[in-house]
Amino acid sequence: MGMTITEKILARAAGVDRVVPGQLVDANIDVVMCHDVTTPPAISMLVEKGIDRVFDPDKIVVTPDHFQPAKDVQSAELHKRLDDWARRHGIKHYYKLGRAGVCHALLPEQGHIRPGEVIVGGDSHTCTYGAFAAFSTGIGSTDLAAAIATGKLWFKVPASMKFVLNGSLPPGVYSKDVILAVIGRIGTDGALYRAMEFVGPALAGMSMEARMTMTNMAIEAGAKNGIMAFDDTTQTYLRQHLKESTAYQVFESDRDAEYLATETFDCAKLEPMVALPHLPSNAVPIGQCAGRPMDQAYIGSCTNGRIEDLRLAARIMKGKQVAIRTLIVSSTPEVWKQASDEGLFDVFYSAGCVISAPTCGACLGGFMGVLAAGEKCVSTTNRNFVGRMGHPKSEVYLASPATAAASAVEGKLTDPRKYL
Amino acid sequence: MLRSRDDKKTQRQKSEVWPMAKAHVYQRDHINTDEIIPARYLNTDKEAELAKHCMEDLDAGFVKKAKAGDVIVAGDDFGCGSSREHAVWAIRGAKVQTVIARSFARIFYRNAINCGFYLIESADAVDKIKDGDEIEIDYDAGVIKDETSKTKIQFMPLPDFALEIIRDGGLLDHIMKTSA
Ligand code: SF4
């Protein structure tokens, strides 16, 4: 019996020839991602236990992002704990304000993600990096503390589900729409504890940025990781972004690997999707919800705050005015600079948007655009739970940057295809 | 600044007995970490602070009505969403004894084990326990006694490796013990 790509990477990391789903393995960790919410408690735990050490200061990547720049005294204290610790241990890849960005956009962009590696991070959307044929998964603070101190973690090898994406995306339909359709079909626990492996011709036409939007949301179906095979697009991206160690190992699923289930999608038939409150799985085609009035549009986050997302939004807003509060939040300083160089900020400014520094900000209801009771926001983020972006009685509608931009212009949920 | 978390508490499910623990039943699936502890409170990791807002966006009255040792009962996929261990700390800080659910989200489940907090996965219990029932849990035997309806419900104890971590008081203590 063959193995899946997920199984092969975990076997490699555990130093064994083969693993099977359900097996517990002790895996060596290649990269640990640390941010400002879950890492400070992990640091305190290590200090309390008297094991204030790091397994390898070169393999830990630190970027404050959630409440960055500090939104209040308490978050400033979190940042200070993170900062003291990073300096004390000589963490090599420490992105401070000015270079800090939303973690899952920053790490691949700065060349910290390599195929075949095991990456963990104190954040549920760490599954994003699976777009690079790597195994990556989110963990809590205790796991993070253990990973920081020992460079190892226990894992239960997940069974894999295969998602075959056939056809190619019609105009106005993006990878965000595909992943919303996938989660809409299988539900928020449709892949609970499993690996979601995406394959098929539709992927070939997607940039790495677009692919990351999909693996980013694997957790929204309950998955342990999302993963995609290595191809030319991956290789080109890595050539442009890897800085130091440029060697990596490529694994692929065997033909006779075993899958718990296979789901097939005809992407050519997809329409722009919107996930209605309060679950990412409440996904409906735009035709079923167009016209609902919105109070705010949010374009940003680790899901859709990359340069091509901003380009797309600008294309739609060019020469128009937004009808509602609209926030543009680049996910990293590099994206910010690029958007500025390309003149996108002029378009956003003229349209009446506000342009923010890179931060998680309002994506998790932190700051910079939180919602009042009863307000509705069309957002390019990944989660629309109760209270996610502010008041528990506010509502979040998840959509692609194109749909969010078109909706910003009209002040109500809008099919972006008429603007393309 | 160190956390105020009291490590001795991690083993309390094994050592402490709570007579008359009340069940707070939420017959809903996908109760998520944003409802358990909203992100607006994540600027702290102090358990006592987090506990004040436990379950706030699901049931704003929860903290007032829950007594030490009470139990949360819920449907499928409890704890889905963010990786914030703050969700486990808020629940533990509110002195909730355990959560009984049909199923748990992966990261929440793992976080609980790692902090030495015992969770019970049992569809049978979720079907039988009614809101307000008084229950008693024998973790070693894997039995929940519902005193109100006079029923006994069996549950599958956690797997051995998880019990080992919980017995050692959580993952970090377990690592220190096993790598010593
Ligand atoms: S942008 Fe949102 S989803 Fe992404 S890491 Fe930040 S808070 Fe989490």
Side-chain angles (χ1 to χ4, degrees):
Chain A
M1 182 58 67
M3 286 199 288
T4 65
I5 176 170
T6 297
E7 289 154 12
K8 286 184 183 177
I9 296 172
L10 283 174
R12 197 264 317 146
V16 295
D17 287 338
R18 58 177 297 119
V19 297
V20 291
Q23 186 178 341
L24 284 176
V25 296
D26 243 326
N28 287 307
I29 309 296
D30 297 293
V31 178
V32 181
M33 188 285 293
C34 292
H35 68 49
D36 52 343
V37 169
T38 52
T39 305
I43 297 166
S44 299
M45 285 177 200
L46 291 169
V47 171
E48 249 173 60
K49 302 279 180 205
I51 39 175
D52 183 20
R53 56 180 150 94
V54 303
F55 81 105
D56 186 339
D58 296 354
K59 291 188 170 176
I60 296 172
V61 183
V62 179
T63 181
D65 56 1
H66 280 57
F67 302 137
Q68 172 88 345
K71 77 168 176 115
D72 56 15
V73 173
Q74 282 180 309
S75 36
E77 301 278 356
L78 291 178
H79 292 157
K80 186 162 186 306
R81 266 152 76 188
L82 191 64
D83 185 70
D84 288 346
W85 169 80
R87 287 168 196 272
R88 188 162 75 240
H89 291 286
I91 300 293
K92 186 167 168 197
H93 305 291
Y94 172 28
Y95 294 86
K96 299 184 200 95
L97 183 68
R99 287 296 171 269
V102 174
C103 50
H104 310 308
L106 189 84
L107 264 73
E109 176 200 273
Q110 294 300 319
H112 297 295
I113 305 302
R114 286 176 205 85
E117 297 202 331
V118 173
I119 303 126
V120 296
D123 190 281
S124 62
H125 295 103
T126 304
C127 51
T128 308
Y129 315 132
F132 291 88
F135 174 86
S136 68
T137 193
I139 53 177
S141 295
T142 303
D143 266 328
L144 188 59
I148 287 169
T150 67
K152 277 176 179 284
L153 274 186
W154 62 270
F155 291 108
K156 200 173 186 179
V157 177
S160 294
M161 287 173 82
K162 193 191 266 188
F163 294 84
V164 186
L165 310 176
N166 288 324
S168 56
L169 300 183
V173 176
Y174 303 91
S175 65
K176 177 65 160 284
D177 301 302
V178 179
I179 191 65
L180 289 177
V182 170
I183 299 167
R185 186 191 291 180
I186 68 170
T188 52
D189 54 1
L192 192 61
Y193 296 102
R194 294 175 189 159
M196 291 175 89
E197 188 173 324
F198 299 96
V199 300
L203 279 185
M206 289 184 197
S207 66
M208 286 317 295
E209 286 80 358
R211 295 177 192 185
M212 283 191 264
T213 300
M214 297 191 62
T215 44
N216 175 267
M217 290 190 71
I219 179 69
E220 305 308 331
K224 181 172 209 147
N225 67 310
I227 200 158
M228 294 170 177
F230 179 91
D231 66 6
D232 291 347
T233 309
T234 326
Q235 192 170 27
T236 309
Y237 185 100
L238 292 170
R239 233 185 251 133
Q240 290 161 353
H241 293 261
L242 289 188
K243 288 172 186 155
E244 293 157 12
S245 128
T246 49
Y248 50 80
Q249 203 178 349
V250 174
F251 294 93
E252 54 184 38
S253 294
D254 293 324
R255 281 185 181 281
D256 58 346
E258 215 179 331
Y259 294 89
L260 262 185
T262 300
E263 296 279 345
T264 307
F265 292 78
D266 183 358
C267 293
K269 292 215 179 89
L270 282 180
E271 291 189 66
M273 303 292 289
V274 176
L276 308 177
H278 293 283
L279 284 176
S281 57
N282 288 340
V284 299
I286 182 75
Q288 288 179 30
C289 58
R292 282 202 206 188
M294 295 285 121
D295 300 286
Q296 178 171 302
Y298 185 93
I299 297 172
S301 86
C302 58
T303 317
N304 282 119
R306 301 187 179 86
I307 189 66
E308 66 177 35
D309 302 316
L310 301 192
R311 282 185 194 134
L312 183 57
R315 201 171 123 203
I316 290 174
M317 290 184 193
K318 190 165 181 140
K320 299 184 194 70
Q321 286 291 308
V322 294
I324 49 176
R325 300 192 307 257
T326 301
L327 291 97
I328 307 291
V329 191
S330 327
S331 54
T332 69
E334 231 170 74
V335 171
W336 194 97
K337 170 83 167 71
Q338 177 102 19
S340 163
D341 288 351
E342 291 181 16
L344 306 185
F345 288 169
D346 293 339
V347 174
F348 294 134
Y349 170 80
S350 303
C353 307
V354 68
I355 298 154
S356 149
T359 182
C360 290
C363 168
L364 80 162
F367 67 142
M368 304 284 287
V370 296
L371 304 171
E375 286 192 324
K376 297 176 169 56
C377 177
V378 56
S379 178
T380 66
T381 54
N382 49 36
R383 221 167 244 167
N384 56 351
F385 294 161
V386 171
R388 173 70 179 178
M389 293 186 75
H391 194 279
K393 291 219 160 60
S394 60
E395 296 183 350
V396 179
Y397 295 75
L398 304 177
S400 75
T403 303
S407 305
V409 168
E410 300 210 358
K412 55 186 194 219
L413 291 180
T414 300
D415 191 328
R417 287 174 294 195
K418 64 198 245 199
Y419 288 108
L420 292 165
Chain B
M1 208 197 324
L2 294 186
R3 292 166 314 126
S4 59
R5 210 153 300 120
D6 175 357
D7 287 309
K8 275 177 242 107
K9 275 194 206 128
T10 53
Q11 279 187 303
R12 67 169 193 232
Q13 288 153 304
K14 301 246 108 191
S15 51
E16 278 183 42
V17 184
W18 277 291
M20 313 278 244
K22 203 179 246 181
H24 301 272
V25 180
Y26 298 94
Q27 276 297 1
R28 227 200 73 198
D29 300 333
H30 315 299
I31 292 173
N32 62 69
T33 50
D34 281 279
E35 291 170 289
I36 300 168
I37 182 73
R40 54 187 178 274
Y41 305 121
L42 295 185
N43 53 4
T44 181
D45 57 355
K46 294 205 183 76
E47 194 156 317
E49 272 306 307
L50 296 166
K52 288 184 200 158
H53 307 288
C54 179
M55 310 296 276
E56 188 169 298
D57 282 0
L58 176 72
D59 175 1
F62 177 77
V63 173
K64 271 217 181 96
K65 68 185 182 209
K67 296 188 312 313
D70 280 1
V71 171
I72 293 171
V73 179
D76 269 310
D77 198 25
F78 184 89
C80 62
S82 130
S83 72
R84 62 187 74 151
E85 210 159 299
H86 307 61
V88 180
W89 303 333
I91 290 174
R92 188 171 62 183
K95 307 257 188 309
V96 170
Q97 174 183 169
T98 187
V99 181
I100 303 174
R102 233 177 261 280
S103 64
F104 290 94
R106 190 188 73 77
I107 304 179
F108 180 86
Y109 190 74
R110 188 177 169 108
N111 284 344
I113 292 172
N114 283 342
C115 324
F117 189 74
Y118 202 117
L119 298 173
I120 297 175
E121 201 170 61
S122 165
D124 199 22
V126 178
D127 287 337
K128 289 181 177 150
I129 299 171
K130 301 275 168 296
D131 192 40
D133 280 6
E134 269 161 11
I135 59 173
E136 208 180 289
I137 302 171
D138 182 334
Y139 292 93
D140 293 323
V143 175
I144 304 167
K145 269 195 279 178
D146 189 323
E147 304 288 357
T148 310
S149 64
K150 303 279 173 237
T151 40
K152 269 192 185 181
I153 305 156
Q154 301 265 352
F155 66 90
M156 272 274 274
L158 287 174
D160 283 346
F161 81 95
L163 285 179
E164 234 174 81
I165 293 174
I166 290 179
R167 243 175 252 132
D168 287 345
L171 181 65
L172 291 183
D173 292 283
H174 176 71
I175 287 173
M176 291 202 298
K177 203 168 140 189
T178 48
S179 64

